[in-house]
Amino acid sequence: MDFGDTRYLSELRIVLLGSKRAGKSSAGNSILGREEFDLKRSAQCVRRHGEAADRHLTVIEAPGWWRTYTVEQSPELLKQEIVLSVSLCPPGPHAVLLIIRVDNTFKETYRKAFQGHLELFGERVWSHAIVLFTYGDSLSDTSIEQYIESEGQDLRWLVDRCGNRYHVLNNKNRRDHTQIKELLEKIEETVAQNKGCHFEIDGRILQEMKKRRREVEERANERMRRMQKQRDDIRSQMMRRADKSNTWSLGSSAYSTGAASRSYSPFSFVDGSDLERCKSMEVPSPFMSGDERSDTMFVRSSAYSSNMSEADEDSS
Ligand SMILES: Nc1nc2c(ncn2[C@@H]2O[C@H](COP(=O)(O)OP(=O)(O)OP(=O)(O)O)[C@@H](O)[C@H]2O)c(=O)[nH]1
Ligand SMILES: [Mg+2]
């Protein structure tokens, strides 16, 4: 076998791919030897750097897919983010690690999800792919080979599709440096099998993904502009009606009580302070992270619910 040129391997670039909760961040932390990746979920790729076994490492974690979803069922933004992961370590990753938990039965649907999502990168990606099993601690005294052989044809298909390249990690045992050293050696061997080359995604696939990403961003911005205009219109309508009802109430105060005048307004539950609150409500950007958006939504919904409870009190 020709092991090609391995001069540049003092630096290794690695992309972690897999379904949600497969152990991608934990594997990243094991590889870098410290807690670089947060174990909380991210909708975006996360890139971290470090040193291990005399090599400079760049590790990218792509967001995970739902493990029973086919690629067609996965959301467009997720697919774009997954594909763009390889562009975060230019000129391209030396290996793409497919993260699989060994404490779960590997079903046909998982295999289809892996196949579909991986093929977003194009056919060439398979020759840089290595199956990285996590939850090695749950294997007890079963060897990884016994596990692969006993799991059924779908897992065997996947391992074979990756050129029989696989490795197992116990992410709960950070003191075991041998498991990382061996993994890095397997990555070097993968590069050697590829004649010293890293994986480079076809420029057309990347351009197409970037184009689709721009289209989604434009549509999202357009939706936000529409929603903002809608809200501006409603607020100015509310203010006009509040002004009118104040004028009416002042003009007729000699004949009626304030309570009666309030009941004439279609926004009778809205007073000045409500309007100020409405004006200051924040609109979450569609490109905020999930957590930021849900924080904002929480503020919004609590603002709405406080209006509602005040309205309920008013009407009671
Ligand atoms: N026992 C055991 N637990 C593990 C192992 N690897 C990961 N875990 C646990 O599995 C859970 C998910 O791990 P993560 O590393 O956050 O998985 P992930 O794929 O990054 O998850 P998302 O980014 O949310 O999709 C965490 O509770 C980890 O502690 C392992 O080798 N053994
Ligand atoms: Mg993670």
Side-chain angles (χ1 to χ4, degrees), residues 182-199:
E182 262 180 37
L183 171 64
L184 298 181
E185 284 168 6
K186 285 178 185 176
I187 294 175
E188 280 180 340
E189 287 156 21
T190 306
V191 178
Q193 280 181 307
N194 285 290
K195 301 194 172 8
C197 293
H198 54 264
F199 170 64

Side-chain angles (χ1 to χ4, degrees), residues 23-284:
K24 300 180 297 299
S25 305
S26 304
N29 289 336
S30 295
I31 292 169
L32 294 174
R34 51 175 197 263
E35 308 301 307
E36 283 285 335
F37 290 92
D38 213 326
L39 295 199
K40 82 176 200 245
R41 185 164 297 165
S42 169
Q44 269 101 41
C45 290
V46 179
R47 178 176 53 193
R48 295 287 181 262
H49 302 279
E51 309 286 327
D54 295 328
R55 297 164 178 98
H56 179 72
L57 305 176
T58 300
V59 181
I60 317 274
E61 177 185 357
W65 55 82
W66 295 106
R67 66 182 172 177
T68 57
Y69 274 28
T70 61
V71 68
E72 292 78 21
Q73 290 169 315
S74 266
E76 184 61 33
L77 263 180
L78 173 68
K79 286 189 275 198
Q80 292 164 9
E81 196 65 26
I82 289 173
V83 170
L84 295 176
S85 64
V86 295
S87 63
L88 293 179
C89 52
H94 291 103
V96 171
L97 306 184
L98 311 187
I99 315 292
I100 295 177
R101 289 169 64 147
V102 292
D103 65 328
N104 290 152
T105 309
F106 194 83
K107 302 189 179 132
E108 186 189 4
T109 47
Y110 304 173
R111 194 265 299 158
K112 284 188 176 153
F114 260 104
Q115 187 176 355
H117 287 91
L118 209 66
E119 285 174 356
L120 290 172
F121 295 93
E123 179 68 19
R124 285 199 306 240
V125 74
W126 289 109
S127 52
H128 297 267
I130 301 175
V131 175
L132 180 60
F133 295 102
T134 54
Y135 279 75
D137 43 317
S138 69
L139 280 177
S140 311
D141 50 4
T142 307
S143 73
I144 189 63
E145 289 73 20
Q146 283 171 325
Y147 170 79
I148 295 169
E149 288 308 315
S150 63
E151 265 304 292
Q153 59 175 15
D154 288 293
L155 184 60
R156 287 200 300 276
W157 180 89
L158 189 66
V159 173
D160 288 340
R161 195 72 183 84
C162 295
N164 197 32
R165 290 180 294 268
Y166 58 87
H167 189 68
V168 62
L169 284 187
N170 170 3
N171 290 317
K172 294 290 172 189
N173 186 5
R174 286 286 158 72
R175 280 165 305 161
D176 181 1
H177 300 297
T178 324
Q179 55 176 356
I180 300 304
K181 190 169 164 286
E182 262 180 37
L183 171 64
L184 298 181
E185 284 168 6
K186 285 178 185 176
I187 294 175
E188 280 180 340
E189 287 156 21
T190 306
V191 178
Q193 280 181 307
N194 285 290
K195 301 194 172 8
C197 293
H198 54 264
F199 170 64
E200 213 158 331
I201 192 166
D202 187 323
R204 282 167 304 184
I205 297 179
L206 210 54
Q207 286 318 313
E208 174 63 21
M209 276 300 166
K210 286 184 178 166
K211 181 171 149 257
R212 276 153 65 177
R213 160 71 50 114
R214 275 196 304 276
E215 285 166 3
V216 172
E217 279 177 21
E218 277 161 22
R219 287 206 308 273
N221 287 336
E222 172 54 27
R223 180 173 294 278
M224 191 157 73
R225 274 195 295 275
R226 258 186 5 243
M227 191 264 270
Q228 193 60 62
K229 182 173 179 315
Q230 239 166 269
R231 293 187 62 206
D232 288 347
D233 290 350
I234 293 171
R235 282 208 304 267
S236 52
Q237 220 178 350
M238 284 162 76
M239 294 214 250
R240 273 202 305 277
R241 292 194 187 186
D243 281 350
K244 234 191 241 171
S245 114
N246 278 348
T247 315
W248 187 88
S249 152
L250 279 176
S252 58
S253 57
Y255 305 99
S256 64
T257 64
S261 70
R262 281 168 71 92
S263 68
Y264 273 83
S265 164
F267 295 102
S268 57
F269 63 91
V270 178
D271 62 19
S273 60
D274 286 318
L275 282 178
E276 284 313 306
R277 220 173 297 141
C278 278
K279 281 185 209 158
S280 67
M281 279 180 199
E282 284 198 26
V283 181

